[in-house]
Amino acid sequence: MRRINIFLVIGIILSFLFHSLSGSIRLFGADAGSPELSARICLTLVAVHVIITAILTVKTIIAIKKSKKSYFRENKLFWTRRISGFALLIPLVMHLLIFRGTGDEAYRLVFFHTGRLISQILLIACLALHIITNIRPMLIGLGVRQRGLLSADISFVLSVVLLFCCCAFCIYCFRWVSF
């Protein structure tokens, strides 16, 4: 089950990269593929990932109850990974509700206000925390020996993509407010 989860995560990362880049290019006003298709693929993979992770977390809790030893202090990073993943679901749902097309040729957001902006900032913050804390276990699960260099490379690429997305989002919001 853990091996399947690792491949799901790789699929999630790839579909996220395509979705975020094509969505950002769309926010700039150009047409660059279909972010909806990659969003549906990513959402499906995320749903399966959540189910598998929930099952593994329940198994861990059962093992803790059987052994009557939690070692919470020693396993804070493990619980950070789990909690950040479940916390990510709330701004993800907000993202789904905010970024839906109207069917027109011009892509417009539904009425955008401060609460929705905060939810998208929370999405990026939760996503960054979840990715940063989970890169090393993913690489271990894949059997990568030189995790330090590859971890830094993955972090760099994701940081550049997130920066591009943030710039596109800010430019779009400034254009949207000025109309």
mmCIF file of all heavy atoms in Angstrom, residues 127-137 155:
data_model
loop_
_atom_site.group_PDB
_atom_site.id
_atom_site.type_symbol
_atom_site.label_atom_id
_atom_site.label_comp_id
_atom_site.label_asym_id
_atom_site.label_seq_id
_atom_site.Cartn_x
_atom_site.Cartn_y
_atom_site.Cartn_z
ATOM 1 N N LEU A 127 0.353 23.657 1.402
ATOM 2 C CA LEU A 127 0.982 22.850 0.368
ATOM 3 C C LEU A 127 2.502 22.854 0.529
ATOM 4 O O LEU A 127 3.149 21.793 0.450
ATOM 5 C CB LEU A 127 0.591 23.373 -1.013
ATOM 6 C CG LEU A 127 1.004 22.564 -2.212
ATOM 7 C CD1 LEU A 127 0.350 21.195 -2.171
ATOM 8 C CD2 LEU A 127 0.614 23.285 -3.487
ATOM 9 N N ALA A 128 3.068 24.029 0.781
ATOM 10 C CA ALA A 128 4.518 24.119 0.964
ATOM 11 C C ALA A 128 4.973 23.313 2.182
ATOM 12 O O ALA A 128 5.937 22.545 2.105
ATOM 13 C CB ALA A 128 4.937 25.583 1.113
ATOM 14 N N LEU A 129 4.274 23.447 3.299
ATOM 15 C CA LEU A 129 4.631 22.687 4.499
ATOM 16 C C LEU A 129 4.516 21.184 4.249
ATOM 17 O O LEU A 129 5.412 20.416 4.608
ATOM 18 C CB LEU A 129 3.734 23.089 5.677
ATOM 19 C CG LEU A 129 3.952 22.298 6.968
ATOM 20 C CD1 LEU A 129 5.339 22.567 7.538
ATOM 21 C CD2 LEU A 129 2.874 22.635 7.978
ATOM 22 N N HIS A 130 3.439 20.774 3.604
ATOM 23 C CA HIS A 130 3.229 19.350 3.355
ATOM 24 C C HIS A 130 4.294 18.787 2.412
ATOM 25 O O HIS A 130 4.822 17.698 2.639
ATOM 26 C CB HIS A 130 1.827 19.128 2.783
ATOM 27 C CG HIS A 130 1.414 17.701 2.747
ATOM 28 N ND1 HIS A 130 1.260 16.944 3.879
ATOM 29 C CD2 HIS A 130 1.123 16.884 1.700
ATOM 30 C CE1 HIS A 130 0.902 15.713 3.541
ATOM 31 N NE2 HIS A 130 0.812 15.659 2.222
ATOM 32 N N ILE A 131 4.636 19.525 1.388
ATOM 33 C CA ILE A 131 5.653 19.052 0.437
ATOM 34 C C ILE A 131 7.029 19.022 1.096
ATOM 35 O O ILE A 131 7.768 18.037 0.970
ATOM 36 C CB ILE A 131 5.663 19.934 -0.831
ATOM 37 C CG1 ILE A 131 4.395 19.661 -1.649
ATOM 38 C CG2 ILE A 131 6.897 19.663 -1.672
ATOM 39 C CD1 ILE A 131 4.206 20.603 -2.814
ATOM 40 N N ILE A 132 7.377 20.082 1.810
ATOM 41 C CA ILE A 132 8.703 20.148 2.437
ATOM 42 C C ILE A 132 8.908 19.012 3.431
ATOM 43 O O ILE A 132 9.970 18.389 3.474
ATOM 44 C CB ILE A 132 8.914 21.523 3.112
ATOM 45 C CG1 ILE A 132 9.091 22.601 2.044
ATOM 46 C CG2 ILE A 132 10.108 21.498 4.052
ATOM 47 C CD1 ILE A 132 9.017 24.012 2.579
ATOM 48 N N THR A 133 7.888 18.710 4.219
ATOM 49 C CA THR A 133 8.045 17.659 5.226
ATOM 50 C C THR A 133 7.973 16.256 4.634
ATOM 51 O O THR A 133 8.369 15.298 5.297
ATOM 52 C CB THR A 133 6.979 17.784 6.340
ATOM 53 O OG1 THR A 133 5.675 17.711 5.770
ATOM 54 C CG2 THR A 133 7.157 19.075 7.114
ATOM 55 N N ASN A 134 7.487 16.138 3.399
ATOM 56 C CA ASN A 134 7.308 14.809 2.814
ATOM 57 C C ASN A 134 8.270 14.468 1.687
ATOM 58 O O ASN A 134 8.212 13.352 1.165
ATOM 59 C CB ASN A 134 5.872 14.647 2.323
ATOM 60 C CG ASN A 134 4.925 14.366 3.457
ATOM 61 O OD1 ASN A 134 4.999 13.325 4.079
ATOM 62 N ND2 ASN A 134 4.062 15.323 3.744
ATOM 63 N N ILE A 135 9.143 15.372 1.289
ATOM 64 C CA ILE A 135 10.087 15.062 0.212
ATOM 65 C C ILE A 135 11.029 13.929 0.634
ATOM 66 O O ILE A 135 11.224 12.960 -0.101
ATOM 67 C CB ILE A 135 10.888 16.312 -0.208
ATOM 68 C CG1 ILE A 135 9.987 17.271 -0.977
ATOM 69 C CG2 ILE A 135 12.078 15.922 -1.083
ATOM 70 C CD1 ILE A 135 10.646 18.576 -1.342
ATOM 71 N N ARG A 136 11.597 14.035 1.804
ATOM 72 C CA ARG A 136 12.566 13.028 2.262
ATOM 73 C C ARG A 136 11.941 11.639 2.374
ATOM 74 O O ARG A 136 12.519 10.666 1.858
ATOM 75 C CB ARG A 136 13.181 13.464 3.590
ATOM 76 C CG ARG A 136 14.303 12.572 4.013
ATOM 77 C CD ARG A 136 15.129 13.224 5.123
ATOM 78 N NE ARG A 136 16.278 12.427 5.405
ATOM 79 C CZ ARG A 136 16.426 11.678 6.501
ATOM 80 N NH1 ARG A 136 15.479 11.688 7.422
ATOM 81 N NH2 ARG A 136 17.495 10.956 6.682
ATOM 82 N N PRO A 137 10.762 11.465 3.011
ATOM 83 C CA PRO A 137 10.170 10.129 3.056
ATOM 84 C C PRO A 137 9.832 9.569 1.670
ATOM 85 O O PRO A 137 9.941 8.368 1.443
ATOM 86 C CB PRO A 137 8.892 10.315 3.873
ATOM 87 C CG PRO A 137 9.065 11.568 4.611
ATOM 88 C CD PRO A 137 10.010 12.409 3.828
ATOM 89 N N SER A 155 12.786 20.733 -4.303
ATOM 90 C CA SER A 155 12.340 21.945 -3.603
ATOM 91 C C SER A 155 12.516 23.176 -4.474
ATOM 92 O O SER A 155 11.646 24.052 -4.509
ATOM 93 C CB SER A 155 13.117 22.118 -2.298
ATOM 94 O OG SER A 155 12.880 21.058 -1.434
#
